[in-house]
Amino acid sequence: MNTTDNLDIYNDPLQYDRQYGGYDADTRFILGHLPPPGSAVIDLACGTGRISIPVADAGYEVTGVDLHEGMLERAREKAAEQGLPIRFLRQDCRELDLPVSAPLIVMAGNSFQHFLTNEDQDRMLESVRRHLEPGGRFIFDTRNPVLAELAIPDRYEETSETDERRIREVHTETYDPTTQTLHCMTEKFTEDGTPLGQDAISLRYTYPLELERLLQQHGFRLENRYGDWSGRPFQAQSGQMVCICRRDEP
């Protein structure tokens, strides 16, 4: 599986907004780390504009980038409703060719984990660096690999709702330590048990020291690393690594 095949869960942008539209911890963090007003900001893997729109509303020139056209269409609709002139572009983050560079590039929602191979990670970081102004910052998050949690296959259920019905979801997660990849499968059923299909996603985990070296190799200096978007200190059992990186000059 590669990055472009790993998008099943994003095929319903409206449902995505129902599930995640109320989450704003990352948005609040990013709003607290913006460059001077009026600057350009690039939001990678922007989805339906959950972060792009508040940043633009704060007075910034925002370019949102995503690989999924359906998510971008939803983002454009939402921005238009608020009268915000955000540029939303469909591009692969490994091959960015944007008409702008910026002092701040962000990538939230653990999207860093979509880059499943060493080559994917290398190409993405090279692409980010090309569009980041010297001395600019790249802010992103990725889940912290806590081995005690990953070592045991996990299976759990939860429910979600659409406009028409309630859906039971059965999630199965299995970690492959040889590729550092978590394979996630979701099977969906109506309340009476009728199958509605399934979707899958694979997520690459990167270890703390591995991440430091990776960033350094691509010309980034890790300024701060937090355990979550609230700014808690990073610890061994933290669920996330929220990273603020500065592009070394030149």
Side-chain angles (χ1 to χ4, degrees):
M1 178 178 288
N2 61 44
T3 299
T4 56
D5 299 327
N6 203 23
L7 304 173
D8 285 357
I9 67 168
Y10 306 115
N11 287 336
D12 188 342
L14 291 175
Q15 182 62 17
Y16 180 88
D17 273 350
R18 289 188 193 97
Q19 288 185 257
Y20 303 108
Y23 180 77
D24 67 351
D26 48 4
T27 302
R28 287 185 282 110
F29 183 96
I30 289 166
L31 289 173
H33 290 80
L34 291 172
S39 301
V41 176
I42 298 171
D43 180 14
L44 299 179
C46 66
T48 63
R50 188 175 55 81
I51 292 172
S52 295
I53 289 172
V55 172
D57 193 45
Y60 291 81
E61 177 193 333
V62 178
T63 299
V65 179
D66 205 278
L67 197 55
H68 195 288
E69 185 58 37
M71 300 286 275
L72 289 169
E73 289 176 5
R74 174 65 177 154
R76 294 185 187 108
E77 291 173 3
K78 290 162 61 177
E81 289 171 0
Q82 298 186 38
L84 295 171
I86 304 172
R87 179 194 293 120
F88 286 110
L89 301 175
R90 183 181 185 275
Q91 291 194 17
D92 188 327
C93 290
R94 298 168 299 179
E95 301 174 351
L96 292 174
D97 184 16
L98 303 176
V100 64
S101 60
L104 176 65
I105 297 178
V106 301
M107 177 187 286
N110 298 305
S111 298
F112 191 90
Q113 292 185 262
H114 280 288
F115 302 93
L116 301 179
T117 67
N118 291 347
E119 180 185 5
D120 285 342
Q121 290 182 334
D122 289 341
R123 291 170 60 196
M124 182 272 290
L125 287 171
E126 289 168 7
S127 194
V128 168
R129 192 176 192 279
R130 286 197 306 271
H131 290 81
L132 191 62
E133 294 176 1
R137 287 186 171 92
F138 177 37
I139 299 177
F140 68 95
D141 64 340
T142 185
R143 293 179 184 88
N144 181 37
V146 179
L147 287 179
E149 298 175 2
L150 292 173
I152 302 172
D154 192 14
R155 185 177 175 86
Y156 62 96
E157 294 189 16
E158 58 185 10
T159 59
S160 63
E161 292 188 13
T162 68
D163 290 335
E164 299 85 20
R165 57 191 168 184
R166 182 185 296 268
I167 296 173
R168 182 170 64 92
E169 299 180 346
V170 180
H171 303 274
T172 304
E173 300 180 351
T174 306
Y175 181 66
D176 181 350
T178 63
T179 59
Q180 298 176 204
T181 303
L182 184 70
H183 300 285
C184 309
M185 175 73 71
T186 300
E187 301 169 278
K188 299 181 180 181
F189 305 87
T190 62
E191 287 187 285
D192 65 7
T194 303
L196 294 173
Q198 61 186 32
D199 57 45
I201 188 169
S202 294
L203 302 168
R204 165 76 180 268
Y205 278 75
T206 304
Y207 290 83
L209 290 180
E210 177 188 15
L211 183 60
E212 287 184 29
R213 177 174 291 184
L214 178 65
L215 291 167
Q216 184 179 31
Q217 287 175 341
H218 289 280
F220 293 96
R221 178 161 43 88
L222 183 60
E223 288 189 328
N224 287 294
R225 174 166 43 195
Y226 301 100
D228 60 25
W229 286 107
S230 72
R232 290 189 180 92
F234 175 72
Q235 299 175 342
Q237 301 303 311
S238 295
Q240 287 179 294
M241 292 185 278
V242 175
C243 301
I244 301 179
C245 313
R246 184 182 291 274
R247 176 187 158 174
D248 288 338
E249 300 187 40

